């Protein structure tokens, strides 16, 4: 399974990328989209909403199931991906390109709590062996 | 990300496998635990599989369901007592009947199909998750009313459903000589041909066959159908297809605690004849205050089972009452309609075109009441 090694991950299968301008981009991982299957609905947070780390802030729904998405780090919602309302299947096509939302005024210290590539890989392996 | 609802993810430790288990794995199926069975959820995309069945032909391994042969002179009398629909409707060999098997309280033990093969030989197919319970119940009733009757589980048979507008033609292509013997089968009719038992039944709202054959031959047959262009389809597509077709799912739309007359099953309950079947007395005494009816979601989102419904009582004079509530029994995304649909248990005064509100997480979403089925034979009906 391909996992980009420049991102940070959560145990709950979100990815986050810190951009050069200090904002952060958030999505769900390839593993998460595989688990859920064909995506049919995405509910993103309102722009301007202030999120705490770990707060429930979005919902992705596949044909099979609904899943909560949690904010990997604290920040204020600066943008949501406008493509996903009409084309949620973009998450299935490329989970690392189809971002859900962007945060500004992020708490960069929260990044320290997240998983790097190797640690996330380990989580996936242990899930597979369960 | 965490799972909130996952109907197929019942957890069991050791799973049963059908004879096609390895075949599914070889086709890269995503396998899930379904009522204790290790079954394919999809083979890549359940949406593609759904559309293939509506537009062409797909096949489902339904060998987890159990066929039971009921053999003996008392077979018909036994079934007259055992099930709620009237087996006296079965006069022609090969004819099939859909029925509920009720408990004495009128709750649904299971829904099943009964084939009339000969006066001393009926065959029934029951759900996988309820098979052991069903068999025990049938045996207990048999011991009481028809001790000599044989009830024979047929785990030696595999079952494959081939469904879609081109399904029958593909089967004829694969089973040489079968066309002449099966093209005149009407809906809910079956016949033996060679080693196959071929029934014109299904759970998708499309034409097609459900075929039983010796389990040892199932993989070859499956692969031959695949080579003929039949798409393998998993439980995911099976669920969205049956929901669009407005077909009940045991355990969701009805169970031992629900009244079948409040579950859209009134057409299968024979209360007119003077036949005494198990559960009849209880049903006659129970008030019927609810109905199973369809919903189409008007807002964005996805309806799911167990979501609560609030009747929009002031939308239309005389419709509904303040505080009326209902519940979704089966909900999901309809690939054919490209919007969310559901079956819901609502008060009797809810009627088509009414608008109701569905509680989805922290929101109230608007939905329209409709008659189901939503889709039949590839056509949208709502």
């Amino acid at each position: 399974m391909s996992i980009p090694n420049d991102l940070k991950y959560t145990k709950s299968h979100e990815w986050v990328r810190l951009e050069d301008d200090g904002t952060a981009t958030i999505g769900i991982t390839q593993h998460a989209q595989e688990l859920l299957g064909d995506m049919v609905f995405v509910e993103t947070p309102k722009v301007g909403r202030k999120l705490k780390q770990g707060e429930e802030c979005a919902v992705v729904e596949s044909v099979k199931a609904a899943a909560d998405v949690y904010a990997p780090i604290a920040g204020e919602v600066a943008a949501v991906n406008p493509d996903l309302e009409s084309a949620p299947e973009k998450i299935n096509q490329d989970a690392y390109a189809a971002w859900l939302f962007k945060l500004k005024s992020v708490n960069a210290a929260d990044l320290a709590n997240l998983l790097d590539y190797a640690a996330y890989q380990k989580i996936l392996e242990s899930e597979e062996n369960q | 990300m965490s799972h909130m609802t996952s109907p197929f993810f019942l957890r069991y430790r050791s799973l049963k496998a059908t004879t096609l288990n390895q075949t599914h794995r070889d086709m890269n199926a995503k396998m899930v635990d379904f009522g204790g069975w290790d079954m394919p959820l999809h083979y890549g995309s359940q949406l593609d599989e759904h559309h293939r069945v509506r537009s062409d032909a797909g096949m489902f391994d339904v060998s987890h369901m159990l066929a039971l042969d009921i053999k003996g002179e008392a077979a018909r009398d036994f079934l007259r007592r055992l099930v709620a629909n009237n087996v006296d409707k079965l006069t022609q060999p090969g004819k099939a009947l859909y029925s509920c098997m009720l408990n004495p309280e009128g709750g649904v033990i299971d829904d099943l199909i009964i084939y009339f093969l000969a006066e001393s030989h009926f065959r029934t197919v029951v759900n996988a998750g309820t098979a052991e319970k069903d068999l025990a119940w049938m045996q207990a009733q048999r011991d009481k009313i028809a001790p000599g009757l044989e009830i024979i589980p047929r785990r030696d048979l595999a079952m494959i459903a081939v469904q879609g507008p081109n399904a029958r033609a593909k089967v004829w292509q694969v089973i040489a000589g079968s066309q002449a013997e099966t093209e005149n089968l009407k809906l809910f009719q079956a016949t033996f041909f060679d080693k196959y038992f071929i029934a014109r039944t299904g759970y998708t709202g499309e034409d097609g066959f459900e075929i039983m054959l010796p389990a040892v031959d199932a993989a070859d047959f499956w692969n031959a159908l695949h080579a003929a262009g039949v798409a393998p389809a998993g439980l995911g597509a099976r669920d969205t297809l049956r929901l669009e077709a407005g077909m009940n799912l045991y355990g969701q739309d009805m169970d031992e605690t629900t009244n079948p007359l409040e579950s859209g099953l009134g057409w299968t309950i024979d209360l007119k004849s003077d036949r005494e079947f198990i559960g009849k007395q209880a049903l006659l005494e129970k008030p019927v205050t609810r109905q199973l009816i369809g919903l189409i979601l008007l807002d964005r989102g996805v309806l799911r089972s167990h979501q609560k419904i609030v009747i929009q009582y002031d939308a239309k004079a005389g419709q509904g009452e303040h505080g009326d509530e209902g519940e979704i029994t089966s909900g999901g995304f309809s690939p054919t309609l490209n919007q969310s649909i559901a079956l819901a248990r609502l008060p009797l005064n809810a009627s088509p075109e009414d608008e109701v509100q569905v509680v989805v997480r922290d929101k109230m979403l608007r939905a329209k009441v409709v008659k189901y089925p939503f889709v039949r034979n590839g056509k949208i009906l709502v």
Side-chain angles (χ1 to χ4, degrees), chain B residues 70-76 116-122 149-150:
Chain B
I70 298 173
K71 285 185 162 178
E73 300 211 333
R76 189 185 288 272
F116 169 48
L117 305 178
E119 264 321 306
S120 60
H121 185 187
F122 288 72
L149 200 67
E150 286 185 280

Side-chain angles (χ1 to χ4, degrees), chain A residues 6-7 15-26 99 101-103 106 111:
Chain A
D6 58 333
L7 304 180
W15 59 260
V16 52
R17 185 175 60 230
L18 199 60
E19 309 292 355
D20 293 340
D21 62 2
T23 65
T25 306
I26 284 107
W99 55 279
F101 56 93
K102 290 178 190 287
L103 294 177
V106 300
L111 284 165

Side-chain angles (χ1 to χ4, degrees), chain A residues 12 14 43 61-62 65 68, chain B residues 1 5 46-47 302 304 363:
Chain A
S12 49
E14 290 91 6
E43 187 181 307
E61 295 208 34
S62 69
D68 281 330
Chain B
M1 194 206 77
T5 57
Q46 83 175 70
L47 289 177
V302 185
R304 306 281 183 188
K363 292 194 175 69

Side-chain angles (χ1 to χ4, degrees), chain B residues 202-219:
Chain B
Y203 194 48
T204 60
E206 297 299 323
D207 203 349
F209 290 134
E210 291 181 303
I211 299 169
M212 297 184 208
L213 74 166
V216 288
D217 298 322

Side-chain angles (χ1 to χ4, degrees), chain A residues 36-51:
Chain A
L36 283 163
D38 293 315
M39 222 54 92
V40 293
F41 173 67
V42 177
E43 187 181 307
T44 45
K46 289 215 160 51
V47 171
R49 180 172 158 193
K50 290 189 174 68
L51 299 174

Side-chain angles (χ1 to χ4, degrees), chain A residues 87-127:
Chain A
E89 67 275 11
K90 285 187 183 233
I91 295 174
N92 298 114
Q93 290 155 6
D94 188 345
Y96 298 109
W99 55 279
L100 295 180
F101 56 93
K102 290 178 190 287
L103 294 177
K104 61 181 182 183
S105 317
V106 300
N107 182 8
D110 285 348
L111 284 165
N113 303 331
L114 301 183
L115 307 166
D116 63 10
Y117 166 81
Y120 184 60
Q121 181 77 45
K122 266 195 185 152
I123 296 253
L124 294 188
E125 281 163 13
S126 69
E127 275 193 6

Side-chain angles (χ1 to χ4, degrees), chain B residues 222-262:
Chain B
W222 178 274
N223 290 329
L225 287 167
H226 189 232
V230 180
L235 291 172
R238 189 168 162 80
D239 192 46
T240 51
L241 288 159
R242 73 92 196 166
L243 179 59
E244 288 185 346
M247 293 171 170
N248 288 44
L249 173 60
Y250 188 80
Q252 277 188 209
D253 303 307
M254 74 294 199
D255 60 26
E256 293 196 15
T257 68
T258 52
N259 185 335
L261 301 174
E262 295 184 339

Side-chain angles (χ1 to χ4, degrees), chain B residues 39-82:
Chain B
M39 297 299 290
L41 179 65
H42 60 72
Y43 301 80
S45 165
Q46 83 175 70
L47 289 177
D48 291 349
E49 291 162 21
H50 180 109
H51 293 307
R52 277 296 285 279
V53 171
R54 287 270 177 258
S55 64
D56 181 12
M59 58 182 168
F60 305 83
D61 177 15
V62 290
S63 308
H64 56 314
M65 299 177 77
L66 178 63
L68 295 158
D69 281 345
I70 298 173
K71 285 185 162 178
E73 300 211 333
R76 189 185 288 272
D77 276 343
F78 172 68
L79 291 168
R80 278 194 188 107
R81 171 97 183 122
L82 186 77

